[in-house]
Amino acid sequence: MFAILGVAVWVRILSAHSGLWVDEAWSAVLVARADTPWAVFTSINHDNNHHLNSLWMQAVGYAAPPLALRALSIVTGAAAVLVVAAIGARRSTAHALVGAALFALSPILVNYGSEARGYAPMLLCALGAILVAARWLDGPAPAPRHAPGLLAVLTTLGLLSQLTMLFFVAAIAGWVALTLRQRVATGTAAAMTARLMLPSVVAVMLVFTLVFGAAAASPGGMQVGDYVPFSFASLVSALQVMLATTVGASALPRWWIAVLALTLCVAAMVAVAHRRPMAWLAMLAIAGLPIALATLHVANTGMPRYFLLSSVAILLLLTDLAATALTKGRRSRMLAALALTLLAIGMVHDIAQDIKRRRGDIDAAIARVRIEAPGGARVHVDHLQPVAPLRVAAATAHYPLVLTSDCRPAQFVFVDLDDGGAAATTRRCGRVYTLRTVRRRGMLSGTDWALYGLPHARNALSSNPY
C-alpha cells in the first residue's frame, strides 16, 4: 500500500510540471482580483471558480510556481487512493490493493489530480461519501446516526470544490434506494433513503443558493467561460475519451473503445443481477449519467470531466471483477493477473504521453521569448483566451511581458492552434513572422499553440518594449 501511494504521488508530481493552462490560469487571474477569502465566494461569479481550490490559490499567491498551485490537487488526489483502499478493504485485501492501484494510475485521475482546479478535492469528498454510504448499507440495524451528517459535510465540501459533485450525490441516493429496495418494501426503502440523504439535499440547496445568489446579486451575473450547445456527437466523443483515459486505452482504435463500453455495461447488469455491493452505483454512473445528460440536452457535455462519476464507477467495477477473480481458481487468477497487467501497461503509457506533452506548457513560450528578447517583449494575441496563461507564466518567470491585440509593433505572435498544423510563417499587420516553437496539449487538458517571431526579433525592436 505504501508503494502504491508513493507511485500515486510521484506520477501526479511529474504531471504537474508545466505552466498553467487556460482554465487554471484564468482561475489564478480571477483569484488575484479577490481581496479576501470571502470575496472568493461573493465576487468571483464565474463557472471557473472552484471555491476551495480558489482559496488555496489565493493563499499560495498568483505568481507561485505551478507545482505549489497544484499541490492541493496532488495531495487530495493521492488521499483519494487511500479512501479507495478503505472501500476495498471492507471486502478483502485484494480489493483494497487492486482498487488503490487502479485509482493511483488511472490517467484521467492523474490528470485531474495534478492541475490547479477543484476536481481532485471533489473526487476525494465523493469517494468519502461512497465509503460512508457503503458502511451505512452494510451496517447492523439501527443504522449509524452520524452517517447523514457526515454525508452532508462531504457533500458541502465536494460542491465547494466543484459543482459536479451533484452528480455523485444523485448517484449515491439512487444506489442506496435501489439497494434497499432489494431488501425491504419500496416505502421502507424510500423512507430510509430520505433519512440518510436529506441533510445532503439541504447542503446542495445551501451551496447552490450561495453560489448563484452571489452571482444574481452581482452586476454581471454568473459568467461562463465556454458554452457549447449539446450535441450527440460531442457527447459520444467525450464518453470515448473518458473511457479511454480511465483505463489507459487511448492507443486502441475507437471501435475497441465501443466494444469496451458495451462490455462494461453488460458487466454492470450482471453485477446488478448478482446483487453485488456497488452494482447499482455502477449502473447509474456508467449508463444512467450519459442517458440523463443526453435526455436533458445539457450543454458542455463534450467535456470528459463531466463524466468523472462514470470513471470512478468503472474503476470500482473493474476492482470488484479483478479482485474477486484473484480469490478463485488458478485460471481465474491468471486471467485477472493478465487483465491487470494490460491495464497497468496502458495506463502507464497514457500517463507518460501526457507528462511528455505537459498540457502544452505555456512556460515554454515565455522561455523562448526570453532567449531572443531578454529585456522584455511585446507579444501579439488574436483573442482573449491566451491572455491569462501568458500573464501567469510571465509573472512566475518574473519576465516583463506586454500583450497586444492591435497593430502596435510586436516582436512575437502567439497563435492558438486548432486541429490543423502550424504554418511556417504567419502575417499580422503587414509583418511576416516565422515559426519559433509549437506545443500540443494532452489528452484531457491544455492548449495547442504556436509561437512566431520576427526574422530578427532581438533587433527588430528595442529590448525594452515599454
Side-chain angles (χ1 to χ4, degrees):
M1 190 62 228
F2 277 118
I4 292 170
L5 182 62
V7 169
V9 174
W10 179 54
V11 294
R12 283 159 177 76
I13 290 175
L14 289 179
S15 181
H17 284 291
S18 63
L20 301 189
W21 71 284
V22 174
D23 286 2
E24 293 175 298
W26 276 110
S27 293
V29 169
L30 293 171
V31 168
R33 298 173 183 170
D35 298 328
T36 64
W38 180 242
V40 169
F41 293 90
T42 59
S43 300
I44 309 177
N45 302 303
H46 197 284
D47 71 332
N48 209 32
N49 179 21
H50 303 171
H51 295 80
L52 296 188
N53 181 69
S54 295
L55 291 173
W56 173 256
M57 298 181 89
Q58 187 180 66
V60 173
Y62 171 80
L67 192 60
L69 290 167
R70 291 164 171 158
L72 176 64
S73 289
I74 294 171
V75 171
T76 53
V81 173
L82 295 176
V83 178
V84 170
I87 293 172
R90 301 174 57 261
R91 301 283 305 284
S92 71
T93 301
H95 281 80
L97 294 178
V98 170
L102 292 179
F103 275 77
L105 289 176
S106 176
I108 194 170
L109 300 187
V110 172
N111 180 87
Y112 292 117
S114 59
E115 64 181 35
R117 307 196 76 203
Y119 293 102
M122 182 269 289
L123 284 171
L124 175 62
C125 295
L127 287 166
I130 290 172
L131 176 60
V132 170
R135 287 177 171 172
W136 182 87
L137 281 169
D138 291 345
R145 293 182 179 180
H146 69 272
L150 185 53
L151 275 177
V153 171
L154 291 168
T155 295
T156 302
L157 294 174
L159 288 168
L160 291 176
S161 298
Q162 222 292 324
L163 291 179
T164 50
M165 176 71 183
L166 179 63
F167 297 161
F168 283 89
V169 176
I172 289 171
W175 162 43
V176 169
L178 291 168
T179 301
L180 289 175
R181 178 60 186 84
Q182 294 176 327
R183 306 173 184 174
V184 297
T186 301
T188 304
M192 293 174 66
T193 304
R195 285 195 295 271
L196 175 67
M197 299 303 301
L198 182 59
S200 296
V201 173
V202 173
V204 169
M205 296 172 63
L206 290 175
V207 172
F208 273 77
T209 300
L210 171 64
V211 172
F212 291 97
S218 68
M222 177 62 75
Q223 303 296 309
V224 178
D226 192 14
Y227 181 87
V228 180
F230 173 83
S231 76
F232 284 102
S234 63
L235 174 67
V236 171
S237 177
L239 289 171
Q240 288 178 329
V241 174
M242 176 277 295
L243 179 54
T245 54
T246 296
V247 299
S250 296
L252 296 178
R254 287 199 167 189
W255 68 272
W256 266 105
I257 305 299
V259 171
L260 182 58
L262 181 60
T263 302
L264 287 169
C265 288
V266 171
M269 288 188 288
V270 171
V272 168
H274 286 81
R275 298 193 176 191
R276 305 295 294 176
M278 294 188 182
W280 278 115
L281 178 64
M283 180 63 71
L284 291 170
I286 296 171
L289 177 61
I291 291 172
L293 295 181
T295 302
L296 297 173
H297 281 213
V298 176
N300 286 354
T301 48
M303 301 176 184
R305 57 181 176 266
Y306 268 49
F307 301 97
L308 283 171
L309 167 62
S310 303
S311 290
V312 167
I314 289 168
L315 292 172
L316 289 174
L317 179 61
L318 291 175
T319 296
D320 188 36
L321 292 173
T324 301
L326 287 173
T327 63
K328 294 185 176 180
R330 180 181 178 185
R331 179 176 296 180
S332 295
R333 290 197 301 269
M334 291 179 63
L335 288 175
L338 176 61
L340 290 173
T341 300
L342 293 175
L343 282 171
I345 291 172
M347 289 177 174
V348 170
H349 171 270
D350 284 1
I351 292 171
Q353 292 298 311
D354 253 12
I355 290 173
K356 183 179 179 180
R357 292 193 172 191
R358 298 166 65 96
R359 295 180 175 86
D361 196 9
I362 298 292
D363 282 356
I366 300 301
R368 182 55 191 261
V369 167
R370 182 171 229 159
I371 292 173
E372 299 190 36
R378 181 178 288 120
V379 176
H380 178 94
V381 295
D382 295 324
H383 50 80
L384 186 62
Q385 181 169 295
V387 168
L390 288 169
R391 281 183 178 172
V392 172
T396 303
H398 306 289
Y399 180 75
L401 183 73
V402 173
L403 300 176
T404 180
S405 59
D406 55 28
C407 282
R408 284 179 291 176
Q411 297 108 310
F412 300 93
V413 173
F414 183 92
V415 177
D416 278 328
L417 299 176
D418 51 23
D419 293 335
T425 62
T426 191
R427 182 181 293 270
R428 295 293 187 282
C429 302
R431 291 182 287 271
V432 177
Y433 296 81
T434 58
L435 183 64
R436 293 296 196 270
T437 186
V438 178
R439 290 291 188 277
R440 293 292 183 181
R441 57 174 291 170
M443 292 176 288
L444 296 161
S445 304
T447 306
D448 295 330
W449 57 269
L451 180 72
Y452 293 83
L454 292 171
H456 302 288
R458 184 187 297 270
N459 301 319
L461 297 172
S462 166
S463 62
N464 186 349
Y466 307 98

